Amino acid sequence: MLDRKPTWAWGLAQSELEIPLPRRWAHTQGVARAAAALAEKLSCDRDLLVASAVLHDVGYAPRIAVTGFHPLDGARFLRDEHRADERVVRLVANHTCALLEAEERGLSDQLASEFPVFDDGLLTDALTYCDMTTTPDGSPTTPVERIGEIVGRYGPDSVVGRFIRRAEPRILAMTGRIDSALSAQPRNG
């Protein structure tokens, strides 16, 4: 059973994603499961990481999508309609190298000025790790497979395809740092 803490984030994401975007909701649940497990191993702020994971794709919801760039739309929604914790908002706004995609879309000035990158490298890397190790259906995967899936789904010449290829070295560095941190953990048993 998936722990639903923090419940406010779960209720909000479920209400926005479950019915209109069931596959996105499945991905969200998988990312949140990964975040809950990862937070325990990394000794980081569990509730902050899980809330950010649960809300990272809320900007895809049809009633929230204004610019068509889900990190910006989701962060504005969380800030303006829900007065969410600024740390959650900034993690959602900047998840998985969002500034690079914002550049592709001509939205980098808006994203950077409204939502500066969150200054906790561990949490930023952890959220990217959870997103990039979860398939669209919520199953575990590797970052390389996930990047390939994204390029295949959107096409290499699309905005998302160009962004993810530009972001690939950063994503692999971020997920590699988390893998290293996990490897350094003492083994139980």
Side-chain angles (χ1 to χ4, degrees):
M1 172 100 177
L2 180 59
D3 181 0
R4 296 285 179 177
K5 260 183 89 179
T7 55
W8 71 272
W10 278 104
L12 180 57
Q14 185 173 14
S15 71
E16 296 296 339
L17 296 173
E18 183 179 36
I19 301 300
L21 300 171
R23 193 168 187 220
R24 184 68 54 189
W25 177 235
H27 169 72
T28 295
Q29 292 176 85
V31 173
R33 277 191 301 274
L38 189 61
E40 301 302 323
K41 294 175 185 170
L42 296 179
S43 299
C44 63
D45 186 329
R46 181 189 186 283
D47 285 351
L48 179 56
L49 181 57
V50 171
S52 300
V54 170
L55 296 166
H56 83 285
D57 277 353
V58 74
Y60 278 114
R63 77 172 197 91
I64 297 168
V66 174
T67 68
F69 181 46
H70 76 279
L72 183 59
D73 291 338
R76 285 176 172 167
F77 167 74
L78 293 170
R79 177 193 65 197
D80 299 344
E81 290 192 33
H82 293 279
R83 307 279 187 257
D85 182 314
E86 178 188 2
R87 300 169 305 161
V88 171
V89 173
R90 288 171 59 193
L91 281 164
V92 167
N94 290 287
H95 75 275
T96 313
C97 305
L99 191 55
L100 291 178
E101 185 174 350
E103 288 172 6
E104 291 284 335
R105 295 175 178 275
L107 295 169
S108 59
D109 290 341
Q110 289 177 52
L111 184 64
S113 66
E114 287 183 55
F115 306 105
V117 174
F118 190 62
D119 57 2
D120 184 321
L122 178 63
L123 282 171
T124 301
D125 287 357
L127 182 56
T128 295
Y129 181 91
C130 296
D131 188 20
M132 297 306 296
T133 59
T134 305
T135 68
D137 296 319
S139 301
T141 191
T142 67
V144 170
E145 290 171 343
R146 178 83 162 110
I147 290 166
E149 179 276 321
I150 291 168
V151 171
R153 184 165 24 119
Y154 288 94
D157 297 324
S158 68
V159 169
V160 175
R162 289 190 309 269
F163 144 70
I164 202 71
R165 285 296 183 205
R166 272 184 67 207
E168 184 173 16
R170 290 184 194 182
I171 290 168
L172 294 178
M174 296 168 88
T175 57
R177 287 191 292 268
I178 296 300
D179 281 334
S180 293
L182 292 172
S183 295
Q185 297 294 316
R187 300 205 187 265
N188 294 333

